[in-house]
Amino acid sequence: GENVEQHPSTLSVQEGDSAVIKCTYSDSASNYFPWYKQELGKRPQLIIDIRSNVGEKKDQRIAVTLNKTAKHFSLHITETQPEDSAVYFCAATSNFGNEKLTFGTGTRLTIIP
Amino acid sequence: DAMVIQNPRYQVTQFGKPVTLSCSQTLNHNVMYWYQQKSSQAPKLLFHYYDKDFNNEADTPDNFQSRRPNTSFCFLDIRSPGLGDTAMYLCATSRRTGGPDTQYFGPGTRLTVL
């Protein structure tokens, strides 16, 4: 089955600086890669996703890049703000009759004012 | 704009006393999932339904059961909760379109077993 590794497990960034979180996956058939943000005590919320037919996707301050050859994908947050502080999870899945997401272990991002 | 609703939001139960958590959705999605999330961990899939087809994860304890009486509702039954079942339980839905689609999570039920 799929295995997703996520690094780092914790990340502290000065407000206004950029944050990068990296994930690697094992199953070359995986073709959908969402990123979820989870604030303390709240539900995971999708912030951005990417499919394997594109290499990069951007939404305002958030971007995701995908390298299918190396089987890794990354989340980039620019101009970080205190409200970006949360736990971020990457995930991967494929479409071979499989609706299951495999999650990474999460990154606790802290933005230092 | 609640799309995936879970009740109750908080539940305290005694060791061994059965408990039922509910999930409803207004998205008309055909796939519904139940996850268990313990503190500082990623959500762990327990099982999911594609329409009425039930798919259990291999490592989900027999203590956990689920029902989906119709498209909108799905229930998680914990027959004899143990202390280790204290966790957040998340329901999620997605629309199967021939490829993976976004999963939308409910707010979760925080279960405490005493």
Side-chain angles (χ1 to χ4, degrees), chain A residues 36 38 43 51 99-100, chain B residues 33 37 96 100 103 105:
Chain A
Y36 286 88
Q38 188 174 29
R43 76 185 81 191
R51 297 185 187 269
E99 296 83 20
K100 300 190 296 185
Chain B
Y33 310 78
Q37 187 177 28
R96 190 181 190 187
Q103 288 193 22
F105 285 85

Side-chain angles (χ1 to χ4, degrees), chain A residues 12-56:
Chain A
S12 294
V13 173
Q14 206 72 36
E15 182 178 355
D17 288 349
S18 296
V20 180
I21 302 170
K22 298 181 180 182
C23 290
T24 60
Y25 61 98
S26 60
D27 187 352
S28 57
S30 288
N31 60 355
Y32 176 63
F33 308 91
W35 285 88
Y36 286 88
K37 174 184 179 182
Q38 188 174 29
E39 297 177 45
L40 188 62
K42 297 192 175 179
R43 76 185 81 191
Q45 289 202 294
L46 180 77
I47 54 171
I48 197 167
D49 57 11
I50 192 168
R51 297 185 187 269
S52 58
N53 57 345
V54 299
E56 184 172 0

Side-chain angles (χ1 to χ4, degrees), chain A residues 3 11 47 49-50 68 81 92 95 106:
Chain A
N3 182 50
L11 179 62
I47 54 171
D49 57 11
I50 192 168
K68 285 191 296 182
Q81 300 168 3
N95 65 350

Side-chain angles (χ1 to χ4, degrees), chain B residues 53-75:
Chain B
D53 292 335
F54 178 70
N55 298 271
N56 197 30
E57 292 301 295
D59 57 353
T60 298
D62 292 340
N63 199 23
F64 290 82
Q65 304 285 316
S66 186
R67 298 169 282 137
R68 190 180 185 186
N70 54 52
T71 300
S72 300
F73 284 87
C74 196
F75 299 96

Side-chain angles (χ1 to χ4, degrees), chain A residues 43-93:
Chain A
R43 76 185 81 191
Q45 289 202 294
L46 180 77
I47 54 171
I48 197 167
D49 57 11
I50 192 168
R51 297 185 187 269
S52 58
N53 57 345
V54 299
E56 184 172 0
K57 185 176 177 181
K58 191 172 182 180
D59 183 4
Q60 299 182 337
R61 297 186 296 109
I62 296 172
V64 57
T65 58
L66 171 65
N67 183 327
K68 285 191 296 182
T69 304
K71 289 191 280 189
H72 66 70
F73 56 113
S74 299
L75 177 71
H76 305 253
I77 306 174
T78 59
E79 300 171 22
T80 53
Q81 300 168 3
E83 53 264 37
D84 294 330
S85 293
V87 178
Y88 291 80
F89 291 100
C90 63
T93 190

